[in-house]
Amino acid sequence: MKETLSGNEAIARGAYEAGVKVASAYPGTPSTEILENIVRYPEINASWAPNEKVALEVGIGASFGGGRAIVAMKHVGVNVAADPLFTLSYTGVKGGLLLITADDPELHSSQNEQDNRHYARFAKVPMLEPSDSQECLDFTKLAFEISERYDTPVMLRTTTRISHGKSVVETSAPVTDLPQPHLMRDPAKYVMLPGNARKRHFVVEQRMSDLAKDAATLPVNRIEMRDASMGIITSGVSYHYVREVLPEASVLKLGLVHPLPLDLIREFAGKVETLYVVEELDPFIEEQVKALGIAVKGKELLSLCGELTPGRLRQGFGLPAAQQMAAEDLPGRPPNMCPGCPHRGVFYTLNRMKAYVSGDIGCYTLGFMPPLSAMDTCVCMGASIGMASGVVKVIPEEERSKVVAVIGDSTFLHTGVNGLMDMVYNKAASTVIILDNRITAMTGRQENPASGHTLMDDPTFSVDLHMLCKAVGVQHVRTMNPLDLAECEKVITEEMARPEVSVIITNKPCVLIKREGVFKKGPCYVVDPLSCTGCRACLKIGCPAIQWLPGEGKKGIAHIDALLCTGCDVCRQLCKFSAIGEANER
Ligand code: SF4
Ligand code: SF4
């Protein structure tokens, strides 16, 4: 049957057709929709893990039990999962195990644009790279065959365009003849004490050498001969850009990007006059081709930074720019928190207090944006608390009370709690604000261990963040209403003045939360145009529902868009002229 699927949907379908038993992930753009589509197949036990390391460990357990497992994450998530990944390369698998890394060239929604092809080489595991949704499905299935045939985890790398782009896919029925999982003991293979691991290292090297030889005959690597004057080695979405911009060029299209099919590369290089590599980000293929002693051009034409596009490819090859379609005249929309977002009051207060805010990854990273402008650092998931500990160790005594770490509920459970343990254990006095909005909001409102529901929407135990903080040794844990500015100022001031570790947990949910009854919209707020003096104080919270109506010859007045306002009441608290109040009815 033919369907139009995104790359993420096709991977989910491929997992189903491959007879996968277990799927685990931590949400992260552009990988999130893989698990969100896998839940359509009840044959697969799918779950959100608290972080990517745990997700991979769940997959490893399922594989060692003999079931096929798929684990998905964005590129930076592989950094978190790297510890088990490198040793998994040594143990190998029982049931096939596929790790998806969804990379984000151009940083559409990420803190860096690392090229995760290096992980495959570094961890010594094979990596497949599809070019469209059909290949996402086919390569997912192939990955399980390679995994079981060569006793190895397999990585599949997508990029944002492949994950989210849609193309026609031919689907088929799932396999039915896989062995039933059951407990199997093989400690020499699965217990990586040095004595066992030393032997397994030889197995790993032999496996990669076998795969490199076999790669020349794998159908996912193919030579497309056209004009022999120009030969291009490429993979992933770059293949389509090459076909669009340089349709006459001969192409070696790689589906397996690690290990590279070196014999096939030599054969292709011998057939063409000038050889190029067209690849996004790092010269991963180019450097290995050069190491074969083959002359090749690549990164002297194309940037190391950002996404490749047909336009950039044209520019690199000195071709005239294609005619651009006229851009629609849309208003600029800088990223912003939602109207009524419970984080806004906290950041407004921190800005007023001139706090040094050690930030983290989540919607609340937008606290960095004006007019809130209240975030000073943001490095990676869970780093805010550890970084706050670090900074208070070096700054003068009188500056220490200015340091605050902010972190969301999901990020706190991801890796932030470890930073809090360290903060308490090593007596680095600082204040931590857990912005608990009851959901993993940034990636699209996924459940997490504190939200009370699983990915399959079953009610479940919910981590008590207050008790958890107490359990790691925090003596001062307070709950705060982030929509009450006076309370925010009082509680944050008191806790920042405390020369000990303290935690403040906010208690208002995300305004977009899906579950019934968790978020309750308040009455709509309105501005009385006669009372508004045009002082602009209400604009300082940056609520998208508050608009500015310029006045003729005077300052202008504020106006609240009734469609956007959620009735959070924060703007009313800022207006000294009592010009803002509840509308009589919504
Ligand atoms: S804070 Fe009040 S007076 Fe000032 S602009 Fe806003 S609505 Fe008008
Ligand atoms: S009450 Fe004010 S701050 Fe809250 S959503 Fe409405 S306009 Fe925005």
Side-chain angles (χ1 to χ4, degrees):
M1 195 176 115
K2 281 192 165 40
E3 285 185 61
T4 305
L5 299 179
S6 71
N8 283 343
E9 290 167 333
I11 289 170
R13 176 73 201 184
Y16 165 67
E17 291 183 15
V20 161
K21 293 274 186 223
V22 165
S24 186
Y26 185 80
T29 308
S31 68
T32 311
E33 301 83 5
I34 296 172
L35 268 269
E36 289 180 332
N37 280 285
I38 279 183
V39 292
R40 294 165 52 202
Y41 307 107
E43 298 82 355
I44 303 177
N45 181 312
S47 58
W48 294 126
N51 67 36
E52 295 84 355
K53 177 177 183 290
V54 175
L56 182 54
E57 289 156 353
V58 169
I60 293 171
S63 164
F64 287 4
R68 288 185 167 180
I70 188 168
V71 180
M73 57 197 65
K74 67 181 293 171
H75 60 318
V76 288
V78 180
N79 302 332
V80 181
D83 194 9
L85 172 64
F86 279 61
T87 304
L88 173 65
S89 172
Y90 277 39
T91 62
V93 301
K94 182 62 185 170
L97 192 150
L98 174 58
L99 167 60
I100 313 282
T101 168
D103 292 10
D104 189 15
E106 203 73 28
L107 303 100
H108 295 283
S109 180
S110 305
Q111 62 268 44
N112 73 39
E113 53 182 350
Q114 70 191 44
D115 185 335
N116 273 10
R117 292 178 297 174
H118 296 291
Y119 262 117
R121 205 166 174 212
F122 192 9
K124 300 176 190 270
V125 297
M127 174 179 273
L128 292 157
E129 191 174 16
S131 291
D132 57 28
S133 298
Q134 182 68 62
E135 288 192 350
C136 282
L137 189 153
D138 295 342
F139 287 14
T140 297
K141 289 161 73 175
L142 176 67
F144 289 101
E145 287 167 30
I146 292 176
S147 178
E148 287 164 9
R149 194 182 323 145
Y150 294 90
D151 189 13
T152 177
V154 175
M155 292 181 79
L156 184 142
R157 176 185 186 244
T158 60
T159 53
T160 304
R161 302 292 162 190
I162 300 295
S163 306
H164 292 163
K166 289 200 167 194
S167 60
V168 175
V169 168
E170 181 83 48
T171 59
S172 51
V175 291
T176 51
D177 56 350
L178 294 173
Q180 268 306 106
H182 63 93
L183 281 181
M184 285 165 275
R185 292 196 167 87
D186 189 355
K189 185 169 185 287
Y190 297 131
V191 180
M192 284 302 95
L193 286 170
N196 289 340
R198 257 179 230 119
K199 292 177 200 139
R200 292 296 303 177
H201 190 180
F202 289 96
V203 176
V204 169
E205 299 301 340
Q206 186 60 48
R207 162 185 96 205
M208 296 313 286
S209 163
D210 292 347
L211 249 166
K213 280 194 210 100
D214 298 351
T217 55
L218 271 182
V220 297
N221 297 323
R222 63 170 189 265
I223 292 174
E224 299 173 0
M225 280 311 291
R226 298 183 190 91
D227 182 350
S229 64
M230 178 184 275
I232 298 178
I233 304 174
T234 191
S235 67
V237 75
S238 305
Y239 167 75
H240 289 291
Y241 301 154
V242 166
R243 294 295 296 119
E244 181 180 329
V245 174
L246 302 159
E248 299 308 321
S250 296
V251 172
L252 169 54
K253 184 199 181 295
L254 298 176
L256 186 74
V257 292
H258 185 72
L260 286 178
L262 302 181
D263 291 341
L264 204 60
I265 289 171
R266 285 193 195 92
E267 181 190 330
F268 183 62
K271 287 181 171 176
V272 296
E273 275 171 44
T274 312
L275 186 65
Y276 299 86
V277 173
V278 172
E279 58 191 326
E280 278 177 325
L281 300 179
D282 295 344
F284 179 81
I285 299 171
E286 181 186 338
E287 284 178 355
Q288 293 181 71
V289 174
K290 282 181 174 161
L292 294 175
I294 297 172
V296 64
K297 295 181 186 173
K299 284 297 161 186
E300 64 263 60
L301 307 175
L302 302 168
S303 177
L304 290 161
C305 307
E307 245 183 342
L308 191 64
T309 63
R312 288 174 181 169
L313 188 57
R314 285 180 168 279
Q315 202 178 13
F317 278 75
L319 299 170
Q323 234 183 352
Q324 293 285 322
M325 286 185 9
E328 284 190 52
D329 191 18
L330 295 172
R333 291 193 182 95
N336 196 351
M337 294 168 192
C338 301
C341 172
H343 304 327
R344 202 170 259 117
V346 174
F347 284 109
Y348 174 81
T349 307
L350 290 170
N351 174 307
R352 270 172 58 94
M353 295 172 70
K354 297 194 170 29
Y356 177 91
V357 179
S358 180
D360 222 300
I361 309 278
C363 291
Y364 49 89
T365 314
L366 295 172
F368 162 78
M369 300 290 289
L372 297 168
S373 305
M375 189 170 286
D376 295 282
T377 63
C378 177
V379 173
C380 70
M381 289 286 287
S384 59
I385 305 177
M387 287 168 57
S389 294
V391 75
V392 297
K393 287 179 179 171
V394 295
I395 56 177
E397 184 75 42
E398 65 274 15
E399 290 183 348
R400 284 183 200 165
S401 63
K402 286 279 167 206
V403 178
V404 176
V406 294
I407 189 164
D409 48 333
S410 184
T411 314
F412 179 67
L413 296 174
H414 178 277
T415 35
V417 65
N418 301 71
L420 188 60
M421 279 183 233
D422 176 79
M423 189 176 263
V424 175
Y425 173 54
N426 287 309
K427 303 177 183 174
S430 190
T431 302
V432 175
I433 304 177
I434 302 177
L435 301 164
D436 180 12
N437 62 1
R438 312 308 302 153
I439 205 78
T440 310
M442 183 173 66
T443 43
R445 303 168 292 163
Q446 287 78 27
E447 308 293 348
N448 66 54
S451 71
H453 283 72
T454 68
L455 169 62
M456 319 287 272
D457 209 26
D458 292 330
T460 186
F461 183 80
S462 158
V463 173
D464 184 327
L465 297 175
H466 187 104
M467 298 265 282
L468 179 58
C469 295
K470 285 274 188 185
V472 302
V474 182
Q475 299 300 308
H476 312 283
V477 185
R478 292 173 78 170
T479 304
M480 173 178 87
N481 176 2
L483 303 179
D484 182 333
L485 295 180
E487 184 177 334
C488 283
E489 185 153 346
K490 178 174 181 296
V491 173
I492 297 174
T493 304
E494 284 171 8
E495 294 311 317
M496 284 174 75
R498 203 186 282 283
E500 292 168 71
V501 179
S502 62
V503 172
I504 303 166
I505 304 174
T506 65
N507 66 358
K508 290 292 174 195
C510 171
V511 296
L512 298 179
I513 208 156
K514 288 178 278 190
R515 255 174 288 115
E516 290 284 314
V518 180
F519 170 72
K520 293 184 190 69
K521 210 168 181 175
C524 178
Y525 279 58
V526 289
V527 178
D528 173 6
L530 297 176
S531 307
C532 176
T533 64
C535 72
R536 291 178 176 260
C538 56
L539 300 186
K540 290 191 181 142
I541 48 160
C543 174
I546 307 178
Q547 302 163 352
W548 193 250
L549 303 180
E552 283 172 21
K554 55 177 202 161
K555 294 178 196 165
I557 54 168
H559 170 75
I560 292 176
D561 184 332
L563 283 177
L564 294 177
C565 178
T566 64
C568 75
D569 189 51
V570 171
C571 58
R572 184 197 59 78
Q573 299 167 52
L574 292 175
C575 181
K576 290 195 186 109
F577 304 96
S578 302
I580 301 177
E582 293 179 14
N584 290 335
E585 55 183 31
R586 291 198 72 112

